[in-house]
Amino acid sequence: MYVLNTWYVAAWSHEVDRKPVKRVICEQPLVLFRTQDGTPVALADRCAHRAFPLSEGRTIDDSIECGYHGFTYGEDGMCTKVPAQSTIPERAKVRKYPLVEKDGWIWAWMGDADLADPADVPDTHWMTDPEWATVTHSFHFKCRAGLIHDNLLDLTHESFLHKTTVGDDYIYEHGITVEVEGSVVSVERLMPSVEAPPLYADTMDARGLFDRFHCTEFFVPNLHVLHSGITGEGKPRAEGYLIKVLNGITPIDEHNSWYYYAFSRNFALDDAQATEDLRVGLETVLREDADALEAQEIGMQSRPAGEFDVLIAQDGGVAKARRILSTLIKREQAAAAADRPVAGARA
């Protein structure tokens, strides 16, 4: 089950142009394209005629033409042309999805369009702020979105999975503080007087002891913003090497997810070598995560009924986020049931 009344990252801005692009979000197939003035559009990727994917067609002016029998749909999803006849059937239309383009991402609203508020798209301004330099990646993770959320809320795995890049034993040796505000879960960890991890030490040329910190903000259910960095011992965070990691997690289906990743930094902004080192190093981190979570997904599918995760203190954020996610899903299900006609009742 998924939370539908929320914004999910559907694509990077640069991925969507005049040529139709296919995406599947929460098991719903979408086709994305741009109109002549550059406005992004998302429609259901299924022609009303015989369900042929519109993503296999082409754009004409501000419309998209089905590649099977030529049914043509405007940016509002209404059919405007049926080549085989002059009349257009009343039911010849496809669903239009609300979109917001912001900071290099295109966000799609998968639920009730009347509830879509662009103001609810989380803040990701660091990706386009000239005071920050950004490295990006995209991955198809062969696992359910929940496993990625757990992974980002419990960073003790860095000590074991990412030893050559961002990990160190001292991570799991320090506890966390968990706070909840509405549907936002924050998990903070302070690691005083430690060495910088290998990837940071190399790109920042950071030697000696520092205060390191992680603070993951999970905007349930779509985005994790990791506020991270290292500072001089006892120094204010504003004076340190600061990092904002944006993790857009978009469910494809029950066992697959899109992972949109941006790593923004406030140091070495014009250092091309540092950017390349981070690009390569962070790709290593993400591939390690992808491999681990795919293996975990296989384990989850083969786990006997009635066997559940054994959570520990470091999973405080995981537990709270799971409860919020479950509540949001149940609330949507209850609202949908309330609008559904009672079986056997007269309309």
Side-chain angles (χ1 to χ4, degrees):
M1 301 300 294
Y2 317 98
V3 176
L4 298 179
N5 288 321
T6 193
W7 297 99
Y8 288 108
V9 180
W12 293 98
S13 291
H14 66 79
E15 293 181 302
V16 180
D17 53 26
R18 294 285 289 156
K19 183 178 180 180
V21 175
K22 181 182 183 66
R23 284 290 186 272
V24 177
I25 302 176
C26 301
E27 302 183 28
Q28 300 181 42
L30 280 64
V31 57
L32 292 89
F33 63 94
R34 290 187 187 272
T35 59
Q36 296 174 99
D37 66 2
T39 302
V41 176
L43 302 177
D45 191 22
R46 186 172 49 249
C47 181
H49 180 216
R50 293 187 191 167
F52 189 78
L54 293 176
S55 56
E56 297 294 324
R58 61 173 180 162
T59 55
I60 300 176
D61 297 329
D62 290 339
S63 300
I64 186 167
E65 179 190 79
C66 178
Y68 196 15
H69 294 97
F71 278 55
T72 303
Y73 301 87
E75 58 185 291
D76 60 356
M78 301 299 295
C79 182
T80 58
K81 180 181 179 181
V82 178
Q85 63 184 45
S86 59
T87 59
I88 298 175
E90 183 178 348
R91 294 189 297 113
K93 57 186 175 182
V94 296
R95 179 179 175 183
K96 176 183 175 67
Y97 291 83
L99 293 182
V100 170
E101 186 167 18
K102 180 181 178 183
D103 301 327
W105 274 338
I106 295 176
W107 299 77
W109 183 272
M110 305 308 298
D112 184 345
D114 292 336
L115 300 178
D117 184 353
D120 291 336
V121 174
D123 179 20
T124 57
H125 75 275
W126 301 279
M127 293 194 292
T128 55
D129 189 327
E131 298 299 315
W132 296 75
T134 300
V135 171
T136 64
H137 287 288
S138 300
F139 275 87
H140 170 196
F141 271 38
K142 297 179 181 179
C143 71
R144 66 197 69 184
L147 297 186
I148 307 177
H149 297 320
D150 293 351
N151 182 71
L152 290 167
L153 289 167
D154 176 17
L155 294 178
T156 58
H157 75 272
E158 290 184 346
S159 299
F160 307 93
L161 200 59
H162 307 312
K163 285 182 176 293
T164 64
T165 50
V166 296
D168 197 292
D169 285 351
Y170 60 68
I171 296 175
Y172 65 78
E173 294 171 351
H174 291 83
I176 57 172
T177 301
V178 180
E179 294 184 359
V180 177
E181 183 175 346
S183 60
V184 180
V185 178
S186 298
V187 180
E188 180 158 6
R189 184 192 317 272
L190 177 62
M191 297 155 280
S193 300
V194 299
E195 293 184 349
L199 182 59
Y200 295 177
D202 292 340
T203 57
M204 304 172 189
D205 192 25
R207 313 297 171 182
L209 297 180
F210 298 85
D211 289 345
R212 184 181 178 188
F213 65 92
H214 291 153
C215 182
T216 299
E217 281 187 298
F218 179 23
F219 296 82
V220 183
N222 51 14
L223 179 75
H224 295 254
V225 179
L226 174 59
H227 308 273
S228 179
I230 60 173
T231 66
E233 292 180 282
K235 298 292 185 180
R237 291 183 182 180
E239 297 179 7
Y241 297 99
L242 302 183
I243 298 160
K244 307 292 182 179
V245 187
L246 295 307
N247 307 268
I249 312 304
T250 301
I252 298 174
D253 57 32
E254 187 179 357
H255 304 298
N256 293 273
S257 306
W258 279 111
Y259 194 141
Y260 298 93
Y261 176 94
F263 180 100
S264 300
R265 67 185 192 273
N266 75 339
F267 57 90
L269 302 187
D270 300 318
D271 189 333
Q273 188 58 54
T275 297
E276 178 61 14
D277 290 345
L278 284 167
R279 186 191 68 78
V280 173
L282 294 168
E283 182 175 9
T284 298
V285 171
L286 287 168
R287 289 194 183 280
E288 289 169 342
D289 281 333
D291 290 344
L293 297 187
E294 181 178 352
Q296 188 181 3
E297 176 66 37
I298 293 171
M300 295 286 286
Q301 293 182 43
S302 63
R303 187 160 68 175
E307 184 176 307
F308 303 101
D309 293 349
V310 178
L311 300 185
I312 61 173
Q314 293 277 6
D315 294 311
V318 170
K320 292 183 183 299
R322 287 181 180 181
R323 284 196 290 271
I324 292 172
L325 184 60
S326 177
T327 298
L328 292 175
I329 291 173
K330 289 178 180 177
R331 187 180 301 163
E332 284 192 8
Q333 290 177 328
D339 290 338
R340 189 180 304 133
V342 177
R346 293 181 179 272

